[in-house]
Amino acid sequence: MTKYTWKDGNWLDPDGTPLSVPNRIAMPMIQSDIGGYKSVASNKWIDGRKAQRDDLARTGCRVMEPDEGPKYCRTEKWAKRLGLEHNPDARPRHRERIEKV
């Protein structure tokens, strides 16, 4: 077992070398809960992360990654701005975020 010691305001290795200290503070991240929405897969109201996990497990689906989404836009303005294909008949993206596994 390695023993560190505290001396003169620094933690020291067993050989007496001061430990390096990062120049940033490390702390846990708090992630807020998601807002409610109607599930595309089960057509039920989902209110929170736990309900989303349960619904995805029950329906055999998973949340799609952002780069897996469609490569087109419904409006010509945004298609040009984002460099994507213009497809006015495309469904809105929020309906395509869940995919059957």
Side-chain angles (χ1 to χ4, degrees), residues 13-59:
D13 278 337
D15 62 355
T17 308
L19 294 175
S20 62
V21 179
N23 59 357
R24 65 185 189 282
I25 297 173
M27 61 178 36
M29 182 182 84
I30 297 174
Q31 190 173 18
S32 64
D33 207 2
I34 59 175
Y37 67 95
K38 192 172 183 179
S39 171
V40 178
S42 67
N43 210 23
K44 294 182 180 180
W45 184 255
I46 306 299
D47 193 21
R49 293 187 192 284
K50 183 179 183 326
Q52 182 186 39
R53 282 192 305 270
D54 293 344
D55 184 62
L56 292 173
R58 186 174 45 255
T59 58

Side-chain angles (χ1 to χ4, degrees), residues 61-100:
C61 297
R62 69 177 178 87
V63 178
M64 290 178 58
E65 298 296 327
D67 62 340
E68 293 179 314
K71 306 294 185 235
Y72 49 80
C73 289
R74 293 179 66 192
T75 61
E76 189 174 356
K77 171 187 162 186
W78 281 103
K80 286 180 182 177
R81 183 177 285 184
L82 298 173
L84 300 174
E85 178 185 339
H86 176 233
N87 184 354
D89 299 325
R91 293 186 335 177
R93 286 189 69 151
H94 67 274
R95 296 182 186 208
E96 297 180 346
R97 288 190 181 151
I98 298 177
E99 172 186 271
K100 289 273 185 188

Side-chain angles (χ1 to χ4, degrees), residues 1 12 26 43:
M1 181 173 166
L12 305 175
N43 210 23

